Amino acid sequence: MLVLKPFFQSDLGLVMFKPGKSLLDELTRMSAGNRLLVAPLPKELVNTPSGKINYPVIPDSSSKSLVDDERLLEFFLHAEVQKRLGSFYHWLERVPHCQLSDGEFCDKNLTFLDCKHGAVRLCWHHDNQERVKLSEKTRVTAKSNVLVWGVGAVARSLSLGSNHCLTLPELCWWAVQNNLYEYLPQSIVDQMFGVKPKARVEVLTHRREGGPDVFDSKETLREYVKPVKQLAVDDSPAAMHMKRPKQLTWRSEKYLKFVRSLPCCATGRVGSDSDPVVAHHLIGHGEGKMGGKAHDFFVMPMLASVHQEFHHDPKAWEAKHGSQLFFVKQTLKKALDVGAIT
């Protein structure tokens, strides 16, 4: 398949191509004495330079491509999404022709023209015309550029082939991978979960107090995509290379405040003014030795009365309620689950 720039001669009813000697030889071999199919360049190849390309099939016009789905404009124009996709203007700079060329005069110099939704690649002649009054064709082309760029960038990020037609599930998977699913349009997420728009409107319109909850596809997606907590880890800290490193104790008043807001680990009761919850530091099990408390990391919530009972007889308390290590683990798990520690 060859990509060639046409030169229209309207007065003569002719259109000419200038492939050059090597491409002309290629064109002769491809035609083999038969007629040639002349077709518009697909949107996906808008920034492909003239020459031979390995594009074995003509895109199926019966199936709607994502480059025609304007619902994705909102997603691709979001600043956070653009950070992951790369430079839109770098992509647009590779468009080798004026996108408003009508077969008449076009200046050889090219520039950009920004629109409300995207931008277009224009020659200086058409750029001057459009800056006076923006045409509908320019607005449509600007939107199309954003969609083609975004779809192509996602496909490349997923290491899919250049000829691959990106699907909506693949796009959504990319958004989940990059933690960008919150910016997907509601209608896109509804489509992925099979929510019919008409049924959704009826439920919202006729919902009564105390009736069944409306299915929220985005909330369901949040439940499926639970973020993984990432703690900062240094696999080769400086103290590891010291013969006798100084022991440091981790302290965090904010974490202790969080622990004090939890129910008592032993009784499950919530604290009150007369019997508040305190953050009990692990004692025994190699911690709480002479010289200070354990790390603030190794704490659990206890009612003041239960805390007093513990210090009266730690062994009897553990025999009655269970190991402190179990309660420390449960407290840490709670902190990670609700995002107290990130």
Side-chain angles (χ1 to χ4, degrees):
M1 182 176 177
L2 298 181
V3 176
L4 298 173
K5 180 179 179 180
F7 296 91
F8 298 96
Q9 303 296 318
S10 303
D11 295 339
L12 301 175
L14 298 174
V15 58
M16 296 188 298
F17 298 93
K18 188 180 178 182
K21 186 179 185 306
S22 59
L23 287 182
L24 183 58
D25 294 340
E26 182 69 29
L27 190 60
T28 303
R29 287 192 295 270
M30 290 171 59
S31 65
N34 294 320
R35 293 176 297 168
L36 297 173
L37 174 66
V38 179
L41 195 69
K43 290 181 180 179
E44 293 86 348
L45 304 179
V46 64
N47 63 353
T48 302
S50 297
K52 183 180 179 180
I53 60 172
N54 296 319
Y55 204 78
V57 295
I58 299 174
D60 184 7
S61 58
S62 62
S63 60
K64 188 175 181 181
S65 170
L66 290 187
V67 299
D68 298 316
D69 195 339
E70 290 198 5
R71 294 178 300 171
L72 293 173
L73 271 175
E74 172 191 344
F75 180 68
F76 289 139
L77 289 173
H78 196 283
E80 291 300 319
V81 177
Q82 292 195 1
K83 287 180 182 178
R84 307 296 202 289
L85 292 177
S87 173
F88 166 66
Y89 287 96
H90 177 70
W91 175 90
L92 188 60
E93 189 177 18
R94 293 168 54 199
V95 176
H97 60 276
C98 173
Q99 293 187 294
L100 290 187
S101 176
D102 52 6
E104 301 297 332
F105 174 73
C106 266
D107 193 271
K108 65 179 180 179
N109 297 294
L110 298 176
T111 186
F112 304 121
L113 177 62
D114 290 314
C115 303
K116 183 178 180 181
H117 301 103
V120 291
R121 186 76 159 149
L122 298 179
C123 70
W124 285 4
H125 169 68
H126 286 97
D127 178 62
N128 289 333
Q129 290 182 339
E130 292 299 315
R131 289 183 186 276
V132 175
K133 185 179 180 181
L134 204 64
S135 66
E136 182 62 24
K137 181 179 179 182
T138 300
R139 293 190 181 94
V140 171
T141 304
K143 293 178 181 179
S144 178
N145 284 340
V146 172
L147 292 171
V148 173
W149 160 73
V151 169
V154 170
R156 288 190 296 274
S157 178
L158 293 173
S159 300
L160 301 174
S162 58
N163 298 342
H164 179 81
C165 185
L166 190 73
T167 64
L168 205 53
E170 290 168 340
L171 173 68
C172 292
W173 170 242
W174 178 85
V176 169
Q177 275 187 319
N178 290 273
N179 199 27
L180 299 170
Y181 57 90
E182 291 284 359
Y183 309 125
L184 286 169
Q186 184 70 52
S187 59
I188 294 289
V189 183
D190 283 349
Q191 182 177 336
M192 289 296 94
F193 281 96
V195 179
K196 296 180 179 180
K198 289 184 179 179
R200 183 181 177 84
V201 171
E202 289 174 4
V203 172
L204 288 172
T205 304
H206 298 96
R207 182 181 179 186
R208 294 175 295 181
E209 192 68 30
D213 292 334
V214 178
F215 179 79
D216 190 331
S217 57
K218 276 206 169 181
E219 186 60 35
T220 303
L221 182 60
R222 293 187 192 100
E223 288 296 319
Y224 286 154
V225 187
K226 291 184 177 179
V228 177
K229 302 301 178 184
Q230 295 183 349
L231 303 180
V233 177
D234 187 349
D235 59 356
S236 182
M240 284 287 292
H241 305 284
M242 299 179 183
K243 187 175 181 179
R244 303 181 69 178
K246 180 182 178 181
Q247 293 187 355
L248 301 176
T249 304
W250 187 75
R251 295 284 178 248
S252 174
E253 180 56 35
K254 283 189 175 182
Y255 182 65
L256 296 180
K257 183 179 179 181
F258 162 75
V259 173
R260 289 193 288 266
S261 69
L262 299 175
C264 175
C265 63
T267 65
R269 297 203 306 269
V270 179
S272 61
D273 293 338
S274 59
D275 194 8
V277 170
V278 298
H280 166 69
H281 288 75
L282 178 65
I283 292 179
H285 304 282
E287 296 292 337
K289 297 178 181 179
M290 187 74 68
K293 295 180 179 179
H295 295 282
D296 284 351
F297 212 55
F298 304 141
V299 294
M300 64 207 83
M302 280 190 193
L303 288 171
S305 56
V306 176
H307 191 231
Q308 187 177 10
E309 176 190 340
F310 173 89
H311 281 284
H312 179 70
D313 191 343
K315 290 184 178 180
W317 189 96
E318 284 197 320
K320 178 181 179 181
H321 298 289
S323 172
Q324 296 175 80
L325 294 177
F326 172 77
F327 294 122
V328 169
K329 170 186 169 293
Q330 291 297 98
T331 305
L332 287 171
K333 184 176 183 300
K334 183 68 175 179
L336 291 169
D337 287 345
V338 301
I341 298 175
T342 58

PDB file of all heavy atoms in Angstrom, residues 27-28 30-38:
ATOM      1  N   LEU A  27       4.872   0.792  -7.691  1.00  0.00           N
ATOM      2  CA  LEU A  27       3.477   0.920  -8.108  1.00  0.00           C
ATOM      3  C   LEU A  27       3.198   0.080  -9.346  1.00  0.00           C
ATOM      4  O   LEU A  27       2.135  -0.538  -9.477  1.00  0.00           O
ATOM      5  CB  LEU A  27       3.155   2.399  -8.376  1.00  0.00           C
ATOM      6  CG  LEU A  27       1.690   2.777  -8.600  1.00  0.00           C
ATOM      7  CD1 LEU A  27       0.858   2.425  -7.381  1.00  0.00           C
ATOM      8  CD2 LEU A  27       1.566   4.266  -8.905  1.00  0.00           C
ATOM      9  N   THR A  28       4.168   0.032 -10.261  1.00  0.00           N
ATOM     10  CA  THR A  28       4.013  -0.781 -11.481  1.00  0.00           C
ATOM     11  C   THR A  28       3.917  -2.258 -11.129  1.00  0.00           C
ATOM     12  O   THR A  28       3.086  -2.991 -11.679  1.00  0.00           O
ATOM     13  CB  THR A  28       5.206  -0.543 -12.425  1.00  0.00           C
ATOM     14  OG1 THR A  28       5.307   0.851 -12.726  1.00  0.00           O
ATOM     15  CG2 THR A  28       5.033  -1.318 -13.718  1.00  0.00           C
ATOM     16  N   MET A  30       2.929  -3.507  -8.242  1.00  0.00           N
ATOM     17  CA  MET A  30       1.703  -3.740  -7.490  1.00  0.00           C
ATOM     18  C   MET A  30       0.485  -3.826  -8.405  1.00  0.00           C
ATOM     19  O   MET A  30      -0.418  -4.642  -8.183  1.00  0.00           O
ATOM     20  CB  MET A  30       1.496  -2.616  -6.458  1.00  0.00           C
ATOM     21  CG  MET A  30       2.474  -2.639  -5.294  1.00  0.00           C
ATOM     22  SD  MET A  30       2.357  -1.150  -4.264  1.00  0.00           S
ATOM     23  CE  MET A  30       0.655  -1.214  -3.752  1.00  0.00           C
ATOM     24  N   SER A  31       0.456  -2.981  -9.432  1.00  0.00           N
ATOM     25  CA  SER A  31      -0.721  -2.936 -10.313  1.00  0.00           C
ATOM     26  C   SER A  31      -0.801  -4.155 -11.224  1.00  0.00           C
ATOM     27  O   SER A  31      -1.894  -4.657 -11.507  1.00  0.00           O
ATOM     28  CB  SER A  31      -0.701  -1.661 -11.154  1.00  0.00           C
ATOM     29  OG  SER A  31       0.413  -1.668 -12.032  1.00  0.00           O
ATOM     30  N   ALA A  32       0.351  -4.648 -11.688  1.00  0.00           N
ATOM     31  CA  ALA A  32       0.398  -5.819 -12.586  1.00  0.00           C
ATOM     32  C   ALA A  32      -0.565  -5.660 -13.761  1.00  0.00           C
ATOM     33  O   ALA A  32      -1.208  -6.617 -14.196  1.00  0.00           O
ATOM     34  CB  ALA A  32       0.080  -7.085 -11.802  1.00  0.00           C
ATOM     35  N   GLY A  33      -0.676  -4.450 -14.284  1.00  0.00           N
ATOM     36  CA  GLY A  33      -1.537  -4.203 -15.436  1.00  0.00           C
ATOM     37  C   GLY A  33      -3.000  -3.992 -15.095  1.00  0.00           C
ATOM     38  O   GLY A  33      -3.817  -3.734 -15.989  1.00  0.00           O
ATOM     39  N   ASN A  34      -3.366  -4.107 -13.814  1.00  0.00           N
ATOM     40  CA  ASN A  34      -4.768  -3.915 -13.406  1.00  0.00           C
ATOM     41  C   ASN A  34      -5.005  -2.467 -12.984  1.00  0.00           C
ATOM     42  O   ASN A  34      -4.077  -1.670 -12.857  1.00  0.00           O
ATOM     43  CB  ASN A  34      -5.116  -4.855 -12.247  1.00  0.00           C
ATOM     44  CG  ASN A  34      -5.076  -6.303 -12.657  1.00  0.00           C
ATOM     45  OD1 ASN A  34      -5.511  -6.639 -13.761  1.00  0.00           O
ATOM     46  ND2 ASN A  34      -4.544  -7.161 -11.795  1.00  0.00           N
ATOM     47  N   ARG A  35      -6.254  -2.165 -12.731  1.00  0.00           N
ATOM     48  CA  ARG A  35      -6.596  -0.839 -12.218  1.00  0.00           C
ATOM     49  C   ARG A  35      -6.174  -0.728 -10.746  1.00  0.00           C
ATOM     50  O   ARG A  35      -5.910  -1.728 -10.079  1.00  0.00           O
ATOM     51  CB  ARG A  35      -8.106  -0.595 -12.343  1.00  0.00           C
ATOM     52  CG  ARG A  35      -8.599  -0.498 -13.779  1.00  0.00           C
ATOM     53  CD  ARG A  35     -10.115  -0.347 -13.815  1.00  0.00           C
ATOM     54  NE  ARG A  35     -10.769  -1.537 -13.247  1.00  0.00           N
ATOM     55  CZ  ARG A  35     -12.059  -1.579 -12.934  1.00  0.00           C
ATOM     56  NH1 ARG A  35     -12.823  -0.495 -13.094  1.00  0.00           N
ATOM     57  NH2 ARG A  35     -12.591  -2.682 -12.447  1.00  0.00           N
ATOM     58  N   LEU A  36      -6.100   0.492 -10.267  1.00  0.00           N
ATOM     59  CA  LEU A  36      -5.693   0.736  -8.882  1.00  0.00           C
ATOM     60  C   LEU A  36      -6.873   1.287  -8.084  1.00  0.00           C
ATOM     61  O   LEU A  36      -7.716   2.000  -8.624  1.00  0.00           O
ATOM     62  CB  LEU A  36      -4.529   1.732  -8.833  1.00  0.00           C
ATOM     63  CG  LEU A  36      -3.229   1.283  -9.506  1.00  0.00           C
ATOM     64  CD1 LEU A  36      -2.239   2.449  -9.532  1.00  0.00           C
ATOM     65  CD2 LEU A  36      -2.621   0.096  -8.783  1.00  0.00           C
ATOM     66  N   LEU A  37      -6.898   0.935  -6.807  1.00  0.00           N
ATOM     67  CA  LEU A  37      -7.908   1.472  -5.906  1.00  0.00           C
ATOM     68  C   LEU A  37      -7.372   2.743  -5.265  1.00  0.00           C
ATOM     69  O   LEU A  37      -6.319   2.737  -4.629  1.00  0.00           O
ATOM     70  CB  LEU A  37      -8.254   0.443  -4.821  1.00  0.00           C
ATOM     71  CG  LEU A  37      -9.208   0.936  -3.726  1.00  0.00           C
ATOM     72  CD1 LEU A  37     -10.591   1.226  -4.303  1.00  0.00           C
ATOM     73  CD2 LEU A  37      -9.307  -0.106  -2.602  1.00  0.00           C
ATOM     74  N   VAL A  38      -8.087   3.840  -5.430  1.00  0.00           N
ATOM     75  CA  VAL A  38      -7.720   5.114  -4.805  1.00  0.00           C
ATOM     76  C   VAL A  38      -8.715   5.367  -3.674  1.00  0.00           C
ATOM     77  O   VAL A  38      -9.928   5.407  -3.904  1.00  0.00           O
ATOM     78  CB  VAL A  38      -7.752   6.272  -5.820  1.00  0.00           C
ATOM     79  CG1 VAL A  38      -7.394   7.580  -5.123  1.00  0.00           C
ATOM     80  CG2 VAL A  38      -6.780   5.996  -6.965  1.00  0.00           C
TER      81      VAL A  38
END
